[in-house]
Amino acid sequence: MLKNGAAGGGEGVDAGAAEEVETGAETLTKVPKDAHTERPPRGRVDRNVDSLPPGSRVILIGDLHGNLIETEQLFANLRSTLGNTGLRRSKIVFLGDYVDRGPDSRGVIDFLVGLRAARAVEDGTGGTYFIAGNHDLGMATFIGVPCCDEASVSAEALEATRNVAYKKGFFVHPVEGGMHYQGRRWGGSTVYNCHTCFSSYGAGDADYTAESRERLVKAVPDAHKEFLQGLDLCHDAPIPFGPGRLICVHAGLSPDVPAEEQLERLRARDILSPSIQHPDDASRIPALHSRGAVIPMHHDLVGKAIVVSGHHGTMDVNRGDRIIMDLSGGTPSENRPLACMVLSATERFVVGHAESYVWPKSGPTPSGFGHGGAGVSAEAQAQRGGLLAG
């Protein structure tokens, strides 16, 4: 299995249970305003970065959700903004959720597979990394290619992720080799909007029958199965600017488990580890599924890492080293485009698929939460200087 060098639908709860629900461009989780907004310096391209070693600039791309046209336009705008050399030498990290909601999940994965292949043969690229979102984990497990090392899981262990209290809202049919509950949730309810994914593969209706699964399994190309199965659950690597470490995880890290314990299991793609499962529900992986609790910076990582997520249906870039990049929530528009953040020692700005979208700009922050500098203190930022100071 060729790995992408990469972190992975709705909440894994019963249809009648109380839990956050996937809502497109909005989230039901409300986070209180507990800090003033600090706007970073106005963004600009620093051409000097192009002459630094590859990977000195990082591009963090939010949820794509089956929106191929906007994905292609986003890359066209990145190329126009950074130039061919600047884009090639940048490190690109995709934050997950490539499928569902939009009309062309197949087209988006085709685009990503092609991009990975093209950059792999280019000289001097900064690397291309793909982490799994909860939607990707759901699809992958539904079609039998879970984002994990296959030798480490058994059919019994996968099936045991379903809470026996759940009686409806999931795919009920037996599956050879077993299925993680998130796959059963993805292909057996409306929570993930998987019908658009079925349609893009020409697999007919997602009608929750055993036959519908067989159609989708047959329709998904081997290259797409390889891509999904190879997704990592996080990206954790050094960066050549402060604070020196970049962690990308689709939703965030649980505050109730030590950060390094979670990251070790996420890097191992151990989807059955108690360290990354919800303590009350083995079907849920907070790093991929949770809402409010995983939004703040994990206390173990304050001043030690930049932590970036998508998932939350908003853009929140005013928490110091904690960044949320999912402005469109899967339903892109001119004002809420598919978007990415560009970071280096001297750059901090956002590029969207809509050419009219510019950030930073004068006026209110586009953050959906309104926090400022919550990830690292102003004093720490000032001492470190560079990227996040000011």
Side-chain angles (χ1 to χ4, degrees):
M1 177 180 65
L2 176 64
K3 293 185 65 176
N4 298 305
E11 303 297 332
V13 296
D14 185 67
E19 197 33 89
E20 297 97 339
V21 178
E22 297 285 347
T23 57
E26 301 297 329
T27 175
L28 299 183
T29 302
K30 301 299 182 182
V31 180
K33 293 184 178 180
D34 60 6
H36 66 286
T37 295
E38 296 178 3
R39 194 169 291 121
R42 185 169 182 83
R44 68 189 188 283
V45 177
D46 182 356
R47 294 300 177 192
N48 293 322
V49 178
D50 296 349
S51 62
L52 297 177
S56 295
R57 175 188 289 121
V58 180
I59 301 171
L60 304 156
I61 300 180
D63 302 22
L64 302 177
H65 274 305
N67 293 287
L68 176 61
I69 293 173
E70 292 83 357
T71 298
E72 292 175 333
Q73 186 59 54
L74 175 61
F75 266 80
N77 290 347
L78 273 170
R79 191 173 300 279
S80 175
T81 300
L82 299 176
N84 289 331
T85 299
L87 181 58
R88 184 182 72 252
R89 296 174 67 84
S90 296
K91 175 178 185 172
I92 301 178
V93 183
F94 290 85
L95 300 174
D97 276 2
Y98 313 114
V99 302
D100 303 332
R101 295 192 181 149
D104 200 352
S105 295
R106 176 173 184 152
V108 167
I109 295 184
D110 261 338
F111 177 89
L112 298 177
V113 169
L115 178 72
R116 180 182 66 179
R119 284 175 59 87
V121 298
E122 287 185 320
D123 291 330
T125 70
T128 315
Y129 303 87
F130 305 87
I131 66 175
N134 51 327
H135 287 252
D136 314 312
L137 176 66
M139 179 185 176
T141 54
F142 183 75
I143 64 174
V145 289
C147 312
C148 63
D149 296 324
E150 295 173 276
S152 67
V153 300
S154 66
E156 294 77 13
L158 289 172
E159 293 295 349
T161 58
R162 180 175 71 84
N163 189 320
V164 295
Y166 300 161
K167 304 300 183 184
K168 58 182 180 179
F170 60 91
F171 186 79
V172 300
H173 307 284
V175 175
E176 183 178 358
M179 185 185 292
H180 192 284
Y181 180 75
Q182 286 305 316
R184 293 192 175 278
R185 189 68 164 157
W186 184 86
S189 74
T190 60
V191 170
Y192 282 93
N193 308 113
C194 71
H195 59 282
T196 61
C197 186
F198 270 74
S199 178
S200 75
Y201 282 98
D205 295 332
D207 56 13
Y208 317 144
T209 63
E211 291 75 20
S212 69
R213 178 178 180 271
E214 291 173 5
R215 291 195 303 270
L216 184 62
V217 169
K218 184 177 180 179
V220 176
D222 288 345
H224 291 203
K225 292 174 181 174
E226 178 198 30
F227 175 85
L228 290 166
Q229 190 169 36
L231 293 173
D232 282 346
L233 303 186
C234 73
H235 176 76
D236 183 359
I239 47 175
F241 49 89
R245 183 182 185 185
L246 174 68
I247 297 170
C248 299
V249 57
H250 181 63
L253 295 173
S254 169
D256 301 323
V257 180
E260 296 302 337
E261 180 180 335
Q262 294 179 71
L263 289 166
E264 179 187 9
R265 293 297 86 204
L266 289 168
R267 289 192 298 266
R269 305 198 312 155
D270 186 357
I271 61 174
L272 301 179
S273 171
S275 296
I276 64 170
Q277 290 175 334
H278 191 283
D280 300 321
D281 187 350
S283 73
R284 295 178 59 226
I285 301 174
L288 275 64
H289 298 96
S290 288
R291 295 294 186 182
V294 300
I295 290 174
M297 172 68 88
H298 194 288
H299 49 85
D300 292 347
L301 297 173
V302 172
K304 300 177 181 178
I306 297 173
V307 181
V308 188
S309 300
H311 183 63
H312 295 286
T314 192
M315 184 175 83
D316 193 348
V317 293
N318 296 295
R319 293 170 173 270
D321 289 346
R322 181 68 175 112
I323 297 171
I324 307 294
M325 180 50 57
D326 181 26
L327 184 56
S328 76
T331 55
S333 65
E334 290 290 311
N335 293 326
R336 297 180 69 94
L338 289 191
C340 63
M341 172 158 276
V342 178
L343 293 179
S344 72
T346 54
E347 300 168 314
R348 181 182 175 93
F349 60 91
V350 173
V351 175
H353 88 268
E355 293 184 6
S356 60
Y357 185 82
V358 178
W359 189 88
K361 60 182 177 181
S362 60
T365 171
S367 165
F369 300 117
H371 286 251
V376 62
S377 69
E379 292 79 10
Q381 292 183 43
Q383 289 174 3
R384 198 167 66 232
L387 173 65
L388 296 176

